[in-house]
């Protein structure tokens, strides 16, 4: 795979950060929900967010997307 540009790395980092933050909020909100159907939908949302995060992490690992060295 080609080397990712700085902008692509920033986008990937931002995406992962937003997903992580969204997952944290979804987990807290899930605990506050009392309606059983809404709670099931919240659980599905949490599982989907976890899947997206794992997908991005897998992409990073499989494509050896790492930043090595200092500022250039």
């Amino acid at each position: 795979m080609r080397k990712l540009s700085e902008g692509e790395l920033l986008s990937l980092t931002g995406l992962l950060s937003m997903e992580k933050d969204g997952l944290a909020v979804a987990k807290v909100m899930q605990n506050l929900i009392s309606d059983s159907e809404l709670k099931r939908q919240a659980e599905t949302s949490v599982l989907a967010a976890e899947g997206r995060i794992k997908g991005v992490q897998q992409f990073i690992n499989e494509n050896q997307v790492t930043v090595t060295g200092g500022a250039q």
Side-chain angles (χ1 to χ4, degrees), residues 3-4 9-11 15 19-23 28-29 35-36 39 44-47 52-53 55 61 63 65 69-70 72:
K3 184 177 177 183
L4 297 180
L9 286 173
L10 287 172
S11 293
L15 174 69
E19 286 291 353
K20 175 190 66 79
D21 293 345
L23 177 60
V28 169
M29 293 303 294
D35 181 68
S36 63
K39 192 170 195 90
T44 301
S45 175
V46 166
L47 290 174
R52 288 189 301 270
I53 290 170
N61 291 331
N63 295 289
V65 177
Q72 297 179 4

Side-chain angles (χ1 to χ4, degrees), residues 21-61:
D21 293 345
L23 177 60
V25 170
K27 283 184 174 182
V28 169
M29 293 303 294
Q30 182 181 1
N31 293 328
L32 301 175
I33 298 172
S34 59
D35 181 68
S36 63
E37 187 172 332
L38 189 56
K39 192 170 195 90
R40 240 185 332 221
Q41 289 179 351
E43 290 169 0
T44 301
S45 175
V46 166
L47 290 174
E50 290 172 342
R52 288 189 301 270
I53 290 170
K54 286 178 184 177
V56 172
Q57 289 172 329
Q58 182 178 355
F59 173 83
I60 289 169
N61 291 331

